[in-house]
Amino acid sequence: MPSDAARRSIIIDTDPGQDDAVAILLALGSPELDVLGITAVAGNVPLHLTEKNARKICELAGRPDIAVYAGADRPMERDLVTAEHVHGKTGLDGPDLPEPAMKLQDRHAVDFIAETIMSRPAGEVTLCALGPLTNIALALRKEPAIAGRIRELVMMGGGCFEGGNVTPTAEFNIYVDPQAAQLVLRSGIPTTIMPLDCTHKALTSAERTAAIRALGTPVAQATAQLLDFFERFDEEKYGTDGGPLHDPTVIAWLLKPELFSGRTVNVEVETGSELTMGMTVVDWWRVTEREPNALFVRDIDADGFFKLLTERLAVL
Ligand code: BDR
Ligand code: CA
């Protein structure tokens, strides 16, 4: 176990979601990471389900001590769009997980994010964003000084060469709250983006899921059931064997950045046109004078990623 000083302090902002759930499990199985709290946002399903799902996953991992906070129940300006067609009615369809006994924290997620970053030493807290960026944008609006104190924001969202997954040009997390995404990307926070260009290469397969199931623990069993449910939609959509495991790439980046490669470029978000709403406009070829604002990851060593995931799930 690394010493406390060597561990990286993270806040996970999330809308579970099967792939969010696996990302949370990966974080809780990794001794290098100190999870300061989990903040839920409306996204894949409404807030009352995402916060409950976050608590279910903490309990599955044997970590009812993790503080879970509820945040924004809707995007900053637009109506909430959800994705039950992908994640099922509960957002966490697949395993039959018990209703959580652990309590939801009283404090609002936005207050928790802002106050934690302000009260900890500058450069200490890493934000992991696995859903729409509403909570993080609201925290920036409430306390703009957090931008200069965050060590890194690692977010799953957007796409460039891969196009979109909810409209032809937009990825779900950005599409749900484009105004929030634009505010965050213009904030100056050191940012790493795991877009569809990367996550569409992190595909589950019968073999990869079997390796997880073979761990034989209740966590492994539930994870395999989550993956089985989650991949069925994308298998049909993309004609692949398996589906992209988006959100755990965010956590894997913190653990093994050598599994990934990308470019530091300018990324802006379309917030005006309904046709391309929520599109990430990525200056991959650096054809503008716009300042680079994010490391945009394009490639992943998928075998290394699934090996890491399986190893870390084994300790839970
Ligand atoms: C993203 O959208 C959600 O459905 C997933 O949880 C992931 O965060 C992929 O576009
Ligand atoms: Ca998510």
Side-chain angles (χ1 to χ4, degrees):
M1 175 84 152
S3 69
D4 273 358
R7 295 172 82 208
R8 185 155 170 166
S9 303
I10 67 170
I11 296 173
I12 302 177
D13 189 69
T14 177
D15 62 337
Q18 290 87 355
D19 61 326
D20 302 73
V22 178
I24 293 168
L25 292 172
L26 176 58
L28 295 178
S30 296
E32 305 92 323
L33 303 178
D34 179 15
V35 180
L36 301 177
I38 295 180
T39 53
V41 66
N44 287 321
V45 285
L47 181 69
H48 72 277
L49 291 173
T50 59
E51 64 83 356
K52 182 162 80 174
N53 290 344
R55 289 184 289 135
K56 283 183 177 177
I57 295 301
C58 291
E59 289 193 355
L60 173 67
R63 294 297 305 275
D65 57 301
I66 300 279
V68 174
Y69 303 83
D73 64 359
R74 45 162 304 157
M76 290 175 82
E77 293 178 24
R78 292 169 66 82
D79 290 338
L80 178 63
V81 176
T82 52
E84 285 86 356
H85 59 293
V86 182
H87 300 272
K89 215 153 52 89
T90 65
L92 218 49
D93 281 20
D96 193 12
L97 298 173
E99 288 295 297
M102 65 186 272
K103 295 270 172 286
L104 181 67
Q105 300 292 312
D106 288 336
R107 208 163 14 146
H108 194 281
V110 170
D111 296 335
F112 170 74
I113 293 170
E115 287 161 18
T116 304
I117 294 166
M118 292 310 289
S119 64
R120 299 248 167 180
E124 186 182 285
V125 178
T126 293
L127 283 182
C128 300
L130 313 181
L133 290 154
T134 321
N135 283 344
I136 295 172
L138 292 175
L140 276 164
R141 190 177 265 184
K142 183 182 162 79
E143 186 49 88
I146 64 173
R149 302 177 64 87
I150 295 169
R151 173 168 167 183
E152 184 181 8
L153 164 69
V154 191
M155 54 177 273
M156 190 280 136
C160 176
F161 302 97
E162 197 64 13
N165 62 355
V166 60
T167 75
T169 56
E171 180 280 329
F172 180 79
N173 289 340
I174 308 294
Y175 180 74
V176 172
D177 199 341
Q179 282 75 20
Q182 181 69 314
L183 196 152
V184 170
L185 283 168
R186 288 185 171 173
S187 68
I189 302 172
T191 298
T192 298
I193 302 179
M194 296 294 163
L196 298 178
D197 304 86
C198 164
T199 65
H200 278 182
K201 294 171 185 151
L203 294 177
T204 60
S205 68
E207 205 183 319
R208 287 170 174 164
T209 305
I212 291 173
R213 188 175 271 113
L215 297 172
T217 61
V219 169
Q221 176 67 18
T223 304
Q225 289 169 332
L226 287 167
L227 296 180
D228 283 344
F229 184 90
F230 186 52
E231 69 190 17
R232 95 220 175 287
F233 175 80
D234 285 322
E235 279 177 337
E236 198 173 311
K237 180 170 165 192
Y238 300 114
T240 47
D241 167 30
L245 197 50
H246 308 280
D247 293 339
T249 60
V250 166
I251 306 298
W253 163 258
L254 303 180
L255 302 169
K256 279 199 160 199
E258 63 274 20
L259 294 175
F260 301 89
S261 61
R263 275 192 195 186
T264 302
V265 292
N266 177 269
V267 182
E268 302 282 329
V269 178
E270 176 62 73
T271 56
S273 150
E274 275 305 322
L275 180 65
T276 52
M277 183 61 72
M279 175 181 182
T280 43
V281 179
V282 181
D283 189 5
W284 184 262
W285 302 112
R286 302 193 180 112
V287 293
T288 72
E289 300 289 306
R290 294 196 285 262
E291 274 297 303
N293 57 353
L295 172 63
F296 193 85
V297 174
R298 193 172 174 189
D299 279 304
I300 178 170
D301 167 356
D303 284 333
F305 166 70
F306 277 94
K307 183 168 174 284
L308 174 71
L309 175 62
T310 309
E311 278 168 12
R312 299 308 171 91
L313 290 173
V315 307
L316 290 174

